Amino acid sequence: MGRDRPPLSGRGREAIALAGRALIVAVPVAFLGLMFWYPLAVIGAEAFDGNAVVDVWTDRITWDVVWFTTWQAGASTALTLLIAFPTAAALAKFEFRGRRAVTAAVTVPFVLPSVVVATAFLALFDRFSLDGGSIDLRQSVWAVLIAHVFFEFAIVVRTVGGYWAQLDERPAEAARTLGAGPVRTFAQVTLPRLMPAVASAAALVFLFTFTSFGIILILGGPRRATLDTEIWRFATQRLEFDVAAALTVVQLVTVLGVVVLNAHLSRRTGNAGGLRAEHRRPVRSRRQRVSLAGGLGTAAVVLGVPLAVLAERSVRTRDGFSLSYWRSLGGAGDTRIRALFVAPVDAIVNSLTFAAVATLIALVVGTAASLVIVHGRHLVSRLLEVAVLVPLGTSAVAVGFGILVGLDTPPVDLRSRWILVPLAHAVIGTPFVVRSVVPVLRGIDRHVREAAVVLGAAPGTVRREIDLPMAARALTAGAAFTFAISLGEFGATSFVVRADRPTVPVAIFELLGRPGEAAFGQAMALSVILVAMTGAAVWLIDRLGPGELRAI
């Protein structure tokens, strides 16, 4: 029979509570400090050690690369806005059966791995003979631009369409009553009121296409160099780390400017007037049916055709339709990925393992960071919010390169450790957890917490019994998004992955670089598997509710 423990004194409880609060602050600070900010500092030191920065900044080739990176991002942004606008209008204005499923389906390409997107367009070019002869899109700018439209289509539809659905239509109705036609009403009344959302979507698309890596590496080839692909080549192929670091500094400065612009536009979008609850009308007139068909048809062609061709090429061999590429994923005989010493199916296991570990890390770090941001002291809260969200606007290539050069010497030497991959993925996924959870915690009525405290609940009990249960859906959405991102992450992974433990995107990239129909078919089959896994994650988020996906 054991003795009863004496009750803790008031000072003892305060000490435990203080230790708990310190631990909650320490977890995100230590993780982001070690995995993101310290590697960035190492990159800066590497870049400014010697004349690398001066040499890079005064080199004409650097500015050629910056110019191509910028103008391809601008052209991709303009094309994406132009092509996605009809779909955004259809989903914003009309209520029809299956609208929610269509909205979720439109979102799927945005979370697909860039390697899969590039593979889908390689399959498309091969299927319709666009890789030779009179039309050759291989390693062309048009291949990059078209793939970017496919990839960023959802940003315009979600941002502009969501804003449009809340727009008060009474000014447009008044213009039509006064005799203005549909085109004039749209051009002079509706479009100017949509501009904050259009500008916000354009800034986001520009940011993502400016830091695009996998698509340009695979579809653009060595002739289409951007800052990200040059960083990768100088770091992994030419081993000139100082030049890669200097290019990273150039990229970070540029990205920072775009992020500041996007934040400014987002605030304007959030503070704009004339918004009300979402409202859509049923389709009745012929003009409305044509408008709806045009919007949905555009989405079906732009998003559906590449994925359909990808699936078709995964089962089409020289002798007809067959599942031989799928069966060969087990790695028997000459179908092994010899360069990586593994079978393709092992890459699937690796990706699932890394994604599970990365999601667990991001959940722990993101939950602690969210609690500090919502309940912490003002200065600590603001500083941590900035520290957590900066990785969201940072190129994955910069994250991977920073970890490669920053964590390879004692006392922090993680070279050749498999944990580097999920740690890098967690750096990228943590901001999504925070963006999902913080709005929910801020939305909890403070009177609920105060009532619990009056009834004798300790602060830890309030967090455990009130905050966490109410944030459970947001946590699940953030976890699903992190899992999906980790499955398809390629930019950072290409720097830190071990050759004997490749992920699926890395395996696909290696297969595409190998000659032969079998390797190409295996790349198609692996890509289809990745599409299914990321699509399942999006479906889970959408089932939780549109608010979670919109918050992310």
Side-chain angles (χ1 to χ4, degrees), residues 325-342:
Y325 298 144
W326 290 79
R327 286 194 292 267
S328 66
L329 294 180
D334 59 356
T335 59
R336 294 173 63 86
I337 312 173
R338 291 192 181 91
L340 299 176
F341 307 104
V342 299

Side-chain angles (χ1 to χ4, degrees), residues 197-209:
V198 173
S200 180
L204 276 176
V205 173
F206 185 87
L207 176 64
F208 285 129
T209 52

Side-chain angles (χ1 to χ4, degrees), residues 506-517:
V506 171
I508 292 172
F509 179 71
E510 293 294 335
L511 284 168
L512 290 176
R514 294 170 62 81
E517 185 181 344

